[in-house]
């Protein structure tokens, strides 16, 4: 074999390896998700499951102070309870999920928290769209859900579920809160304000009372007038009688 060709063999291998590395790098796509979720029991219809979320810190200037998680269909906000979180952080339910947060973590510190879910829905996978907010106001949104094998730039945490256990059934939803009952002790309850009809009905009564008062006044005046007439008539009669006797 030509010495020159022998020397070229390693070069060709090197070129081939470099090309393979480029192909692998290109096929790898985006780095691993910056927000991930795992489950203590990743089966459909599993009950009392602990979900653990990890959000990787990306900002070089501030730490994560709040996470907003949108729950997938089949998990209601009132069936989720906080199990573990950074010290001082608390959970607040929202219309479509929850927020968990508190004092900002240190720069470069990943935010990890766990929640307990009463039951997972009957599904093949669950996506938990997550929005990270940093102490300096910077926001990272991991809300894209890949479909059909496509790759996305900001993937949401996705939990793949296994088939439900034999005999597993959905738990009935929680009953809606009933109206607050009225106090049973009537003595401690304020008297109800009179309704408009009652107030209106009082007006005729007052008018009737006024009419009765006017009627009584008229009768008294009439009696006084009669007495005056009688007294005057008696005076005239007495005067005439005195003159006749004289």
């Amino acid at each position: 074999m030509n010495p020159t060709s022998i020397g070229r063999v390693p070069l060709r291998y090197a070129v081939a390896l470099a090309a393979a590395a480029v192909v692998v790098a290109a096929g790898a796509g985006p780095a691993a998700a910056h927000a991930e979720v795992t489950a203590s029991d990743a089966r459909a219809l599993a009950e009392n499951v602990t979900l653990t979320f990890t959000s990787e810190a990306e900002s070089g200037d501030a730490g994560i102070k709040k996470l907003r998680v949108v729950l997938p269909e089949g998990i209601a906000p009132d069936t989720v309870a906080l199990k573990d979180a950074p010290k001082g952080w608390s959970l607040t339910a929202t219309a479509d999920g929850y927020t968990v947060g508190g004092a900002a973590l240190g720069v470069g510190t990943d935010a990890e928290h766990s929640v307990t879910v009463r039951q997972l829905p009957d599904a093949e996978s669950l996506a938990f769209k997550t929005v990270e907010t940093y102490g300096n106001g910077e926001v990272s949104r991991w809300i894209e859900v890949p479909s059909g094998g496509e790759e996305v730039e900001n993937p949401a945490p996705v939990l793949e579920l296994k088939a439900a256990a034999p005999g597993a059934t959905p738990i009935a939803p929680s009953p809606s809160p009933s109206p607050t009952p009225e106090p049973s002790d009537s003595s401690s309850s304020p008297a109800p304000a009179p309704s408009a009809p009652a107030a209106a009905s009082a007006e005729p009564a007052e008018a009737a009372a006024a009419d009765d008062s006017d009627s009584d006044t008229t009768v008294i005046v009439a009696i006084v007038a009669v007495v005056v007439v009688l007294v005057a008539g008696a005076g005239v009669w007495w005067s005439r009688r005195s003159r006749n006797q004289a």
Side-chain angles (χ1 to χ4, degrees):
M1 181 178 291
N2 190 323
T4 305
S5 62
I6 294 176
R8 291 176 180 173
V9 172
L11 180 59
R12 289 201 298 269
Y13 286 162
V15 172
L17 288 174
V22 171
V23 171
V24 171
H34 292 270
E36 300 176 342
V37 59
T38 59
S40 60
D41 187 357
R43 293 182 298 171
L45 299 179
E47 299 179 24
N48 299 319
V49 179
T50 297
L51 300 178
T52 300
F53 296 85
T54 302
S55 295
E56 297 180 3
E58 293 189 305
S59 175
D61 303 320
I64 299 172
K65 74 170 186 178
K66 183 176 71 173
L67 302 172
R68 180 171 181 265
V69 178
V70 177
L71 295 171
E73 185 177 356
I75 300 180
D78 62 355
T79 64
V80 176
L82 184 63
K83 183 176 182 180
D84 191 25
K87 185 177 180 180
W89 282 29
S90 60
L91 182 146
T92 302
T94 61
D96 57 0
Y98 66 87
T99 61
V100 59
L105 304 179
V107 177
T109 302
D110 296 342
E112 183 174 306
H113 76 281
S114 300
V115 296
T116 301
V117 178
R118 187 172 62 184
Q119 185 179 41
L120 298 180
D122 189 4
E124 295 182 354
S125 64
L126 302 173
F128 297 84
K129 298 180 180 181
T130 303
V131 177
E132 304 168 358
T133 301
Y134 291 81
N136 61 357
E138 182 181 340
V139 175
S140 294
R141 295 179 173 84
W142 305 103
I143 58 175
E144 296 180 271
V145 181
S147 61
E150 67 176 348
E151 296 173 351
V152 293
E153 250 183 72
N154 303 295
V158 175
L159 179 65
E160 301 293 338
L161 298 182
K162 298 177 182 178
T169 57
I171 298 176
S174 302
S176 301
S178 56
T180 304
E182 295 294 333
S184 57
D185 186 3
S186 58
S187 62
S188 62
S189 303
S195 60
S201 62
E203 294 179 1
E206 294 174 359
D211 292 343
D212 292 342
S213 178
D214 293 342
S215 299
D216 293 342
T217 302
T218 303
V219 171
I220 293 173
V221 171
I223 292 174
V224 171
V226 170
V227 171
V228 170
V229 170
L230 291 176
V231 171
V236 172
W237 175 80
W238 180 263
S239 176
R240 288 179 180 177
R241 184 179 176 213
S242 298
R243 285 199 299 270
N244 291 335
Q245 288 179 352

